[in-house]
Amino acid sequence: MGSVLDRVRVRAAPSPTGPPHVGNAYIALFDYAFARKEGGDFVLRIEDTDAERSTRESEEAILQALRWVGLDWDEGPDVGGPYGPYRQSERADIYRRHAQQLLETGSAYRCFCTRERLADMQKLRGAQGARPGYDRLCRGLTPEQAREKLDAGTPFTVRLKVPLEGQTGFEDLVRGTVVFRNSEIDDQVLLKSDGFPTYHLANVVDDHLMKISHVIRAEEWISSTPKHVLLYQAFGWDLPTFIHMPLLRNQDRSKISKRKDPTSLLWYREQGFLPEALLNFLALMGWSTGDDREKFSLQAMVQSFTWNRVKTSGPVFDMQKLEWLNGEYVRSMSAEELLERILAEPYTRRFDQPAEKLLQVTRLVQERIKRLAEFDEASRFFFEREPYEAADLIPKKHDAAFVRDALPAAHALLKDLDDWSAEPLEGAMRDAAEERGWKRGALYMVLRVAVTCRRVSTPLFETMQVLGKQECIARIETALDWAEELT
Ligand code: GLU
């Protein structure tokens, strides 16, 4: 175990093999919170040992997305640091040297089995009902036999010599003791025949050389950890502390996957989720503040961070909850800030509009949107007349005749109204309804549809104020024509 006096150093270790994943942000968030709380270091390491699937575009997108959610790191491929390089593809020599060391101490062996032989063996094991894994043929080669193959230039991998008996375990900070029987651990490949390391070797070597004190990763890696523990032992290194975070799950409790829920951080950004809301939501998935608070900032999380409140039950990624939380953030900021953020991304096409009008519209729409990308749809009628059915003008429990009474009456009154602000507008319409014995709501509904082209809209009179007298009167006149045709 690393001593408590050791400096806290954690790392996020994404593999750049696809779009930035919510799981990347989720784990990085816990790395960040813990490192900041402890005054330690947060390292970002790129695990691109899978040369076929790793790309620079993916790496850049991941770093950018992590910065977008509001995280930063002290060391990484983009910021440098004393333990670099931070990209595994640039550390090939280091891994080869370490594999060599394991060969020399007898903790690993060369495996000369061909791909074909391994495939046949796997088939046979399957047929016999044995667990998948290597049958350890080459572990039995004498030093002479191995030397002969090596001298003949036979390609080989390097495998870990897992003890055949006994157990390998570790203490997980949030789960307690986790133990595996060695008989269930495969003689894992450490170095591939092309000389590149597998995840296991590169991960362990780097965590050691980068002085990582706490390995924080998703639950799905638990079964890899005993292999890592064996590697630490083989090298004679101290173990870091392991923390396996509960996996994010779909509603059906399967591991979160893009077939059921969007998993790309880019999608969340496009949809207008606020990074701070998304982080808050991811924090809630695995952790609680201890006082039932659901909305809290990253700073607040850092201040009160403790592993004691990590939940180990698989949290369900509840999109409705995320939308709700996002809506809370949308409503808690000033209209000025909201507009600024809508324009910055941008989430709107309305650049041609005067800033003052955009701000007024934002004030009204703010209550009704949960995601910033909803802005244009929610506010379209402020900028253009939308099509609607003439029949929409008829309020519930009323008929066309009512529309033909109410609309001309409203039109006549409004045309002569000088102060076009919400209060006098409302006063005039309320009086009109009262005098004529109409239901207020019915009159407002006719007016709402005429003016906003929708049956559900932002508050009517404020909306009319923002639209302005001329535009409102023109829309009411169009509705008057439509009302003529109503039967
Ligand atoms: N590269 C692994 C991943 O993408 C890292 C797992 C670990 O943190 O050890 O999740």
Side-chain angles (χ1 to χ4, degrees), residues 11 13-15 24 47 199 203 207 215-217 220-221 228:
R11 82 309 191 270
S15 297
N24 294 142
E47 299 210 327
Y199 156 71
N203 190 270
D207 282 345
V215 168
I216 302 161
R217 60 182 165 217
E220 62 190 315
W221 297 102
H228 298 187

